[in-house]
Amino acid sequence: MKTNIDKGLEVILITLMATMLISVIWQVFSRFIIQSPSTLTDEISSFALIWVGLLGASYATGKKLHLAIDLLPEKLIAKNPKFYDRIIAVSIFCFGFCVMLIGGFRLCWLTFLFKQKSAALQIPLGYVYTVVPLSGLLICYYSGLNFLTKKNS
């Protein structure tokens, strides 16, 4: 199942990056060559960047490529690396669950409740923000797998 999710995320991330690239190229072309800037491409590239950032963070969690800050000396960690890997997995799970999953659902609910729409595209912003709880769910899934794996790096 993890492999399928990884492959799906890879396809989505590549598609979003291509969309962002095309959108920015069109914006530059329409602004400087045609002298008539497109009003939609700014929002498209911004929303794609939000999705790439959050889904990319989920993907990185699944590959154990997340950012680490070394607060404890390496000698201490070397004595029991599996224990510290599990502490990291639990910490990431708690963040993904509390901040991204619960907070993301609340954010989506409020934006749908207040009927907030994007300026140029006129789409409900709740659809744009659904990536927050979705990536939170993926981060929880991946950190749960990282916690349960026998071979921790």
Side-chain angles (χ1 to χ4, degrees), residues 1-142:
M1 183 163 167
K2 180 184 183 298
T3 307
N4 292 337
I5 293 173
D6 287 345
K7 294 285 184 198
L9 273 175
E10 288 170 3
V11 169
I12 291 169
L13 288 168
I14 290 168
T15 304
L16 286 169
M17 288 294 291
T19 302
M20 211 166 42
L21 177 67
I22 292 166
S23 174
V24 169
I25 288 172
W26 178 252
Q27 176 66 18
V28 170
F29 178 78
S30 66
R31 180 172 297 194
F32 295 109
I33 306 299
I34 302 175
Q35 299 293 319
S36 177
S38 173
T39 57
L40 304 177
T41 54
D42 183 42
E43 277 191 3
I44 291 170
S45 58
S46 296
F47 295 158
L49 182 63
I50 292 168
W51 278 66
V52 164
L54 291 171
L55 290 176
S58 303
Y59 183 77
T61 302
K63 299 290 183 181
K64 291 189 176 185
L65 297 172
H66 49 80
L67 181 65
I69 300 171
D70 296 329
L71 297 174
L72 301 173
E74 284 188 37
K75 289 180 182 179
L76 181 64
I77 294 171
K79 290 179 182 176
N80 197 352
K82 192 172 184 176
F83 173 74
Y84 290 106
D85 283 344
R86 288 192 168 172
I87 287 176
I88 291 168
V90 168
S91 301
I92 292 171
F93 181 90
C94 289
F95 174 80
F97 184 77
C98 295
V99 175
M100 297 187 73
L101 197 58
I102 294 173
F105 273 123
R106 182 168 163 76
L107 173 67
C108 290
W109 178 69
L110 287 173
T111 54
F112 281 124
L113 181 70
F114 294 127
K115 297 181 171 80
Q116 294 177 339
K117 294 187 177 206
S118 67
L121 296 172
Q122 288 299 304
I123 59 171
L125 285 175
Y127 292 130
V128 176
Y129 297 147
T130 55
V131 72
V132 178
L134 174 63
S135 61
L137 183 66
L138 289 168
I139 286 172
C140 288
Y141 171 74
Y142 283 132

